Amino acid sequence: MTNTSSSGEMVYVEHKKDINGFPKVILREVRGCSAEVYLHGAQVTSWKNEHGEELLFLSSKAIFKPPKAIRGGIPICFPQFGNHGSLEQHGFARNRTWTVDPDPPPFATISHNKAFIDLILKPSEEDAKIWPHRYEFRLRITLGPGGDLMLTSRIRNTNIDGKSFTFTFAYHTYFSVTDISEVRVEGLETLDYLDNLKNKERVTEQGDAITFESEVDKTYLSTPTKIAIIDHERKRTFVLRKDGLPDAVVWNPWDKKAKAIPDFGDDEYKHMLCVEAACVETPITLKPADNLTHKWYSKAVKVQLSGCISCTGLYCSLDLVLSVNSCQNIFCWRAESSLPELSI
């Protein structure tokens, strides 16, 4: 059912509050696609295609109560991924309430996008005590006319003391899968990874594809531009494409750890898998006036996530592309042509 105003016009962006009174934004497009974004953490918690099928996992026990992070969707890990530093797990961006920019800058190119929101995070006094840097983090979330979902992050160093800052970063994407035992990941074969269950021991992947029979928490290094997540039971393949995001984190807590996580259902590990494009092993350094741009683009029938990392003296950008289709043929996803360049 398409949402329209009293005048019959399509409502592309709707500001609402959930049952607990916490603000969120619903993005809609005419074909019936939708995305849900909470101001807490600037976190996408739902993204559905025109058939109403959910592509992201959200725990039934997720806690929507700041400052607790929301379990599922697409958490933003900044300025620290995991425990790679002295801050709390995955940094503080996902635990903060972001503000809506009422007058966002225009798209860089001519665009027909009407369903989008710009959210901004700046350091608070409390944040400055634990991470003494000034920055501006702007996140634009766009739902395109065809159901495409794009997340574009721009991070700027606004320190006035001339100091650089260094951080690690990830989109901690929770994919919805039918049965984790029927899922395999391809594209990471023969690569080195850090086994986070064994004190980051460096190991070489031996299998032809990654399948799941127990807990996994690995950071793959020097990963290729394409990674496939194949859900056999649902006959769906997620194809993750990336440029310059060197690491890929694969995580599933399995049964024992799932029972120990308070905001995670005992059996929910069967229906989720995190595969995250990240910059973990080699942190990013931004000088004052430097900017980092990261785009995440996805499409309802063909999900796409887009961006690239390149660093010059004054500019750093990260790109990631994710696609979803119904083909499970390895040669099909490996042979797919490159996606059109996105600009914003």
Side-chain angles (χ1 to χ4, degrees), residues 213-334:
E213 299 177 346
S214 61
E215 180 184 359
V216 60
D217 188 355
K218 301 176 179 179
T219 302
Y220 288 85
L221 310 174
S222 301
T223 56
T225 57
K226 291 183 183 181
I227 302 169
I229 305 154
I230 301 170
D231 184 341
H232 291 287
E233 191 167 328
R234 191 171 287 173
K235 295 182 172 59
R236 172 182 289 164
T237 299
F238 294 85
V239 181
L240 184 151
R241 311 184 200 187
K242 57 192 184 62
D243 238 350
L245 288 161
D247 306 320
V249 180
V250 179
W251 180 71
N252 184 291
W254 218 252
D255 55 350
K256 186 176 180 180
K257 185 164 288 185
K259 293 177 181 178
I261 301 174
D263 58 345
F264 196 92
D266 290 356
D267 293 325
E268 287 186 330
Y269 73 93
K270 298 176 181 178
H271 308 298
M272 55 73 63
L273 178 65
C274 289
V275 179
E276 315 154 39
C279 291
V280 178
E281 186 187 34
T282 304
I284 299 166
T285 298
L286 283 182
K287 300 175 182 178
D290 275 6
N291 291 274
L292 176 145
T293 301
H294 176 94
K295 298 182 201 171
W296 190 100
Y297 173 64
S298 59
K299 197 170 183 176
V301 178
K302 195 165 184 174
V303 191
Q304 306 175 347
L305 216 151
S306 166
C308 68
I309 181 168
S310 59
C311 292
T312 64
L314 295 175
Y315 185 77
C316 185
S317 67
L318 298 121
D319 287 350
L320 171 66
V321 178
L322 175 66
S323 302
V324 174
N325 56 44
S326 59
C327 181
Q328 299 181 70
N329 188 321
I330 183 173
F331 299 106
C332 177
W333 73 258
R334 288 189 188 277

Side-chain angles (χ1 to χ4, degrees), residues 88-108:
E88 60 191 295
Q89 177 85 355
H90 293 321
F92 49 72
R94 66 183 186 142
N95 304 102
R96 301 296 184 262
T97 298
W98 297 47
T99 59
V100 177
D101 186 347
D103 187 24
F107 286 85

Side-chain angles (χ1 to χ4, degrees), residues 112-152:
H112 299 289
N113 296 319
K114 297 180 179 180
F116 72 94
I117 187 78
D118 275 29
L119 301 176
I120 295 175
L121 181 68
K122 293 182 180 180
S124 66
E125 291 184 6
E126 291 302 310
D127 292 339
K129 293 177 182 178
I130 59 174
W131 201 64
H133 302 290
R134 296 179 60 176
Y135 64 89
E136 180 184 87
F137 192 142
R138 173 182 293 271
L139 175 66
R140 173 168 293 183
I141 303 170
T142 306
L143 185 67
D148 319 344
L149 181 65
M150 187 189 314
L151 278 69
T152 301

Side-chain angles (χ1 to χ4, degrees), residues 6-201:
S6 58
S7 61
E9 295 181 351
M10 177 72 190
V11 177
Y12 293 95
V13 181
E14 182 180 5
H15 294 261
K16 301 181 66 175
K17 291 186 177 181
D18 69 7
I19 58 174
N20 297 310
F22 297 113
K24 64 180 181 178
V25 177
I26 307 296
L27 304 178
R28 297 187 181 92
E29 267 298 342
V30 292
R31 295 184 181 182
C33 306
S34 67
E36 177 184 81
V37 186
Y38 271 77
L39 270 58
H40 176 56
Q43 188 160 331
V44 178
T45 54
S46 173
W47 172 59
K48 296 179 181 179
N49 61 19
E50 67 270 27
H51 305 295
E53 297 170 339
E54 182 61 69
L55 297 174
L56 299 175
F57 167 84
L58 183 70
S59 175
S60 63
K61 292 189 174 182
I63 299 171
F64 293 81
K65 187 176 181 180
K68 177 67 178 177
I70 301 170
R71 175 72 64 183
I74 311 175
I76 297 170
C77 301
F78 171 86
Q80 176 182 300
F81 176 79
N83 58 1
H84 292 257
S86 60
L87 300 175
E88 60 191 295
Q89 177 85 355
H90 293 321
F92 49 72
R94 66 183 186 142
N95 304 102
R96 301 296 184 262
T97 298
W98 297 47
T99 59
V100 177
D101 186 347
D103 187 24
F107 286 85
T109 57
I110 297 175
S111 172
H112 299 289
N113 296 319
K114 297 180 179 180
F116 72 94
I117 187 78
D118 275 29
L119 301 176
I120 295 175
L121 181 68
K122 293 182 180 180
S124 66
E125 291 184 6
E126 291 302 310
D127 292 339
K129 293 177 182 178
I130 59 174
W131 201 64
H133 302 290
R134 296 179 60 176
Y135 64 89
E136 180 184 87
F137 192 142
R138 173 182 293 271
L139 175 66
R140 173 168 293 183
I141 303 170
T142 306
L143 185 67
D148 319 344
L149 181 65
M150 187 189 314
L151 278 69
T152 301
S153 296
R154 294 188 177 181
I155 302 169
R156 188 162 59 99
N157 182 341
T158 58
N159 279 334
I160 59 176
D161 57 7
K163 292 183 179 179
S164 301
F165 61 70
T166 299
F167 61 95
T168 49
F169 180 91
Y171 283 102
H172 199 313
T173 308
Y174 286 74
F175 293 101
S176 174
V177 299
T178 310
D179 181 351
I180 188 63
S181 65
E182 296 296 325
V183 172
R184 75 177 191 268
V185 176
E186 297 180 351
L188 302 176
E189 312 84 60
T190 74
L191 298 182
D192 284 357
Y193 64 85
L194 304 179
D195 191 336
N196 298 313
L197 301 178
K198 297 181 179 179
N199 198 30
K200 299 182 177 62
E201 177 185 351

